Amino acid sequence: MDHDPSAKHLSGFMIWLRGVGMGAADIVPGFSGGTVALITGIYERLVVAISRFDTRLWVLLKEQKWREASAHIDFRFVLWLILGIGCGLVTSLFTIKTMLDMPTLRPFVLAAFIGMVFGSSWFVWSEIRKVGPIQFPQVVLVGIGIVIAVTLSRLPSPAQANGEPAYWFLFCCGAIAICAMILPGISGALM
């Protein structure tokens, strides 16, 4: 995967805009905010920023070295991105729910979802191909991923089977979903 050096010099507005896209994508089943981050060139910067929430950060905070702590986690980037993700989530929740509730718009919204899934799949596949020719293990892993996604989508929801799901189950689902929101190609909404 090519690192986009210009991602380091994005304005706050451009980071926010990418965050809006990530937040909106996290609402769409089968699409992920991580995929939007990958497509828009900020994925590596995002992963580095997340990985820096470590013991070094806590030491800097404990010693009240605010500037060093801010620089350590790329605070400006993280702040603008979180603001954008929040805006994208809130806006999309209301907009998409309203459109899905309208019988005339529902098929078009679902078709757009499928288009986003196929488009992002094509992008990720092209990133794999940049490394070299497709190898058999990659094809096997794609097949395994498809089987897992189809299997998960066919499972009955716990609410349908037993009424309300247990809190421990909701916690586990939330933990999986939040990880899925960062990984390209894995949808938190689908999980």
Side-chain angles (χ1 to χ4, degrees):
M1 176 179 352
D2 294 335
H3 177 64
D4 183 4
S6 64
K8 190 68 179 163
H9 304 290
L10 291 171
S11 69
F13 175 74
M14 294 307 292
I15 296 167
W16 176 85
L17 199 57
R18 285 163 168 79
V20 169
M22 289 177 66
D26 284 334
I27 301 299
V28 177
F31 200 54
S32 100
T35 303
V36 171
L38 182 67
I39 291 170
T40 61
I42 62 167
Y43 186 74
E44 289 182 39
R45 188 173 177 186
L46 173 62
V47 171
V48 168
I50 292 170
S51 72
R52 297 228 172 128
F53 281 81
D54 56 8
T55 54
R56 170 131 174 83
L57 173 65
W58 303 123
V59 168
L60 291 171
L61 291 174
K62 185 178 175 185
E63 295 173 356
Q64 298 182 356
K65 295 181 178 178
W66 309 118
R67 280 186 194 224
E68 289 180 43
S70 175
H72 181 67
I73 62 167
D74 199 355
F75 180 74
R76 181 184 153 281
F77 171 77
V78 171
L79 178 64
W80 280 108
L81 195 63
I82 288 172
L83 290 172
I85 290 170
C87 289
L89 279 169
V90 170
T91 305
S92 296
L93 277 171
F94 296 113
T95 307
I96 291 174
K97 181 182 180 336
T98 301
M99 290 190 300
L100 285 173
D101 288 343
M102 301 170 106
T104 55
L105 287 181
R106 185 177 174 83
F108 296 104
V109 173
L110 295 175
F113 288 176
I114 291 172
M116 287 187 267
V117 170
F118 284 138
S120 64
S121 299
W122 180 261
F123 179 83
V124 173
W125 186 254
S126 69
E127 288 293 310
I128 294 169
R129 293 183 61 206
K130 284 181 184 177
V131 177
I134 302 302
Q135 299 173 10
F136 182 72
Q138 294 166 330
V139 174
V140 170
L141 289 171
V142 167
I144 290 170
I146 290 170
V147 168
I148 290 171
V150 169
T151 302
L152 287 174
S153 68
R154 299 229 179 247
L155 290 175
S157 91
Q160 292 171 337
N162 304 333
E164 289 297 314
Y167 289 120
W168 67 266
F169 183 79
L170 290 175
F171 176 81
C172 291
C173 290
I176 292 169
I178 199 68
C179 291
M181 288 179 175
I182 299 298
L183 297 171
I186 300 178
S187 166
L190 181 64
M191 295 306 278

